[in-house]
Amino acid sequence: MTTYILRHGQTNYSRRYLVNGDPSKPIQLTEEGRQSLSRGWSTLPLHTVRTWLTSEFPRAQQTASLLMGVPAAVLVIDPHLNELDYGIFEGSPFLEYAVWLDGHGTAKRPEGGTESQREGIRRMLTGVLAALEYPGPRVLVGHGLLISVLLWHKSRCSNEAMPLFFPEAPYVEPIAIADDELPVWITALLSDLDRDAHQEADDHGGASILRIDGGSAVATVESASHSPDQKDLPHA
């Protein structure tokens, strides 16, 4: 069997590159976001999917519901798949969080937040692994950071360390992972997180970092306003 993992469609927040880690906010897909679901209709085995999984966020559930059409398969809502908790940066341009993250590192929780970036990634990965408990084929609708981490792992070089910022995650483009491969992916990524935790404890964040001003791509969302050299920052 196979798990198809994809990012939700565009929202007004992601279009403007604002962060949203609070599932209680009623943020829905834009018209462009709804139209983009045609990519999913053409690339997913919709008639054979037995389980749909989403986060608690309205945009993820809306994406899954519109892709499903008539609800026939099981729909599982798993908070482990939620977007990152951004704390005091909620509703702000992603670039503000990115600058803070660049200065404080992956293990630090923002003020008012319940998790660090690495803690959030770990939570999401456990949710992905738990998807195997449900009948397949499965479709999992998640958020930008999760998809970006998986895309980075898929194309990573040997012995490449997990970066601070990840490649942009496209909307509604599924990553297909076979059941025997999925635990291998998750185990490798969890090992990366463990290694990061030990390294930060040893040298207080001396791990390799892809800097914002170095032209690297940043995961999840983009700033609502940015200078030309920041135009490639992704959205969530």
Side-chain angles (χ1 to χ4, degrees), residues 30-225:
T30 61
E31 179 59 31
E32 181 178 339
R34 290 189 291 272
Q35 291 179 0
S36 71
L37 300 185
S38 61
R39 293 199 292 273
W41 293 328
S42 63
T43 56
L44 293 170
L46 297 178
H47 297 294
T48 61
V49 174
R50 297 183 62 192
T51 305
W52 293 77
L53 302 101
T54 81
S55 71
E56 295 180 307
F57 284 70
R59 58 186 180 271
Q61 295 181 38
Q62 185 184 14
T63 298
S65 296
L66 291 174
L67 285 172
M68 288 174 68
V70 178
V74 175
L75 175 61
V76 177
I77 298 173
D78 185 354
H80 288 94
L81 302 175
N82 283 0
E83 177 60 294
L84 193 66
D85 181 355
Y86 291 101
I88 60 170
F89 296 100
E90 175 65 36
S92 300
F94 175 74
L95 199 58
E96 293 183 9
Y97 172 74
V99 170
W100 177 90
L101 184 64
D102 194 41
H104 291 80
T106 61
K108 181 74 172 179
R109 297 177 180 180
E111 182 180 345
T114 60
E115 59 189 1
S116 67
Q117 187 220 52
R118 290 313 203 234
E119 288 173 330
I121 292 173
R122 182 180 296 275
R123 165 180 56 76
M124 296 173 201
L125 293 175
T126 61
V128 172
L129 188 60
L132 291 175
E133 299 173 6
Y134 299 94
R138 310 160 205 86
V139 174
L140 187 158
V141 181
H143 297 268
L145 179 57
L146 170 61
I147 311 307
S148 292
V149 170
L150 294 174
L151 287 173
W152 168 77
H153 178 72
K154 183 179 180 180
S155 61
R156 71 191 296 181
C157 299
S158 178
N159 298 321
E160 181 182 358
M162 182 179 285
L164 180 59
F165 300 114
F166 299 87
E168 178 177 2
Y171 296 115
V172 201
E173 291 188 13
I175 306 169
I177 310 176
D179 283 4
D180 59 344
E181 293 180 355
L182 189 56
V184 178
W185 283 40
I186 301 304
T187 298
L189 287 165
L190 290 176
S191 295
D192 287 334
L193 294 174
D194 290 338
R195 189 160 47 248
D196 277 3
H198 292 143
Q199 185 165 1
E200 289 217 22
D202 291 342
D203 60 17
H204 304 288
S208 175
I209 291 177
L210 299 182
R211 298 289 177 179
I212 301 170
D213 58 4
S216 58
V218 183
T220 43
V221 290
E222 224 175 348
S223 170
S225 60

